[in-house]
Amino acid sequence: MKVTILPSIIKGELEAPKSKSIAIRILFGSLINDVLLKEEIPKSDDVIYAYRSILKMGVLHEENKLKKPNSISLNNFFYVGGSGTVARILSGLAIILGGETVIDGDQSLRNRPFDGLLKISKLTDSEVSSNRLPIKVKSKGKVNYIELPELESSQYVSGIIYGMALNDGGIIKMKEKIPSLYYIMLTIDLLNKMGCDIKLEENEIHIGKCTKNAYETSFPGDYLLSSFYAVSSLLTGGLTIIKGLYELPKYNGDHDIVKILNYANIKSEVKGDKWIVYGNEINGEINVDVENTPDMAMSLAPLGTKLKIEINGIRRLRIKESDRILSIKDTLEKFGNNVKIYDNKIIINPGKLKMAEINCNNDHRVAMMAASISFIKGGIINNAECINKSDPMHWERYKKLGGEMKIE
């Protein structure tokens, strides 16, 4: 698919795209408690692979109910497409619950390392066939205490949390800095809402027993997926209202982008479930650390067309769907910006903006980042179907906001 974008003013009101991170965690939560769904399961690719995985493990889907299995079998083959989240949560579960599990994915995921899984296997007397997919995990299970070194992804930790919750409890001790803490907090927060007793105390996660009460839920909107529309609106001078977002939690996370935009004299605020981004002039500069929320870098980078932006804590971006550090540099430079990469930071300065043609390299956030800029001077995005990974309605939402584009 090729999307040709014409200069447009992005403004209006839209329903936020659903959070695939939260949706995936809700689906895996159905292994612990019955889940009563108030709406349909989101159709993004990653969520679909999570859904297929829980069905293989024994979850039954009856009308609007996901019924937890009487017993969970991980003695199976799981294909997870390009979803690193699903692959890593599954592998953490397999280590803790035991069995012989084979996990595979598409070529983009096969290219990504699973070094953390090898580290975890050595601490649990488990066997892991490789640090690249396809991977076979062989484990005796019943692990209720583990001391983890630094890992390249927090998603293993989420998988271990699910596994210990299913094993009636355990303790995870983090010997090094916890990676992407926000996503671990998402898991803890959701499971506590589902009736579990999980606490993060300094560098330890204490997992208690979970009650067996059904959990009723809908799927909330995602701040970072929504932020691409917000930034497009800012760059073109529109005013945008994004509805259906989750209530701001007390811990830091992706939602912090609301207040980070205010660093650039942008008026951005949340009222109830609505995020309002006002179309005022952008000035000043932004200096932000994305160590705990690495995906935020792709949302903020387009603002480098208007002001200086320094993004620190970027090292984990190298092991995403693409090397996102290089993706930011290549994409922004094609549009005319000046970009410099240092050891653990990237600095973007405005240049003479121009139209550009971009290939998303099978990375949904590269396409979304390029789109945010394209509405200023125009742009072409090739292989634009890559957005199906997280937000299949991405281009249709832009049309509703006044975006002029040709899809072919």
Side-chain angles (χ1 to χ4, degrees), residues 359-375:
N359 191 312
C360 76
N361 296 320
N362 205 33
D363 188 334
H364 57 132
R365 292 186 194 270
V366 172
M368 294 172 178
M369 175 178 65
S372 291
I373 305 170
S374 295
F375 288 107

Side-chain angles (χ1 to χ4, degrees), residues 10 58 188 382:
I10 301 302
I188 292 172
N382 295 309

Side-chain angles (χ1 to χ4, degrees), residues 119-171:
K119 293 179 182 179
I120 295 169
S121 68
K122 293 174 182 177
L123 297 169
T124 56
D125 293 325
S126 305
E127 297 177 23
V128 173
S129 61
S130 172
N131 75 331
R132 304 273 176 168
L133 296 183
I135 290 174
K136 176 185 277 190
V137 180
K138 187 176 180 180
S139 172
K140 296 178 182 178
K142 298 194 179 298
V143 179
N144 58 18
Y145 180 83
I146 189 169
E147 294 187 13
L148 293 177
E150 185 171 4
L151 306 171
E152 83 274 5
S153 174
S154 66
Q155 294 151 356
Y156 300 117
V157 183
S158 288
I160 292 170
I161 291 171
Y162 279 102
M164 288 186 175
L166 286 160
N167 273 344
D168 290 329
I171 296 174

Side-chain angles (χ1 to χ4, degrees), residues 26-63:
I26 289 171
L27 294 179
F28 276 102
S30 66
L31 297 169
I32 298 170
N33 266 339
D34 293 346
V35 176
L36 304 177
L37 302 174
K38 295 180 180 179
E39 59 183 326
E40 289 186 357
I41 295 170
K43 296 296 191 294
S44 66
D45 288 351
D46 282 15
V47 175
I48 290 170
Y49 286 118
Y51 174 70
R52 291 174 181 172
S53 296
I54 63 168
L55 295 184
K56 274 197 170 185
M57 285 186 279
V59 172
L60 294 177
H61 190 177
E62 300 173 345
E63 295 182 350

Side-chain angles (χ1 to χ4, degrees), residues 64-108:
N64 68 330
K65 183 177 183 180
L66 296 175
K67 189 175 180 181
K68 68 180 181 65
N70 293 324
S71 62
I72 297 169
S73 175
L74 282 156
N75 295 311
N76 219 322
F77 169 83
F78 296 89
Y79 182 80
V80 299
S83 180
T85 300
V86 176
R88 292 187 174 104
I89 289 178
L90 272 172
S91 61
L93 266 172
I95 292 282
I96 302 302
L97 296 182
E100 292 190 22
T101 305
V102 178
I103 304 169
D104 198 7
D106 64 19
Q107 191 58 51
S108 68

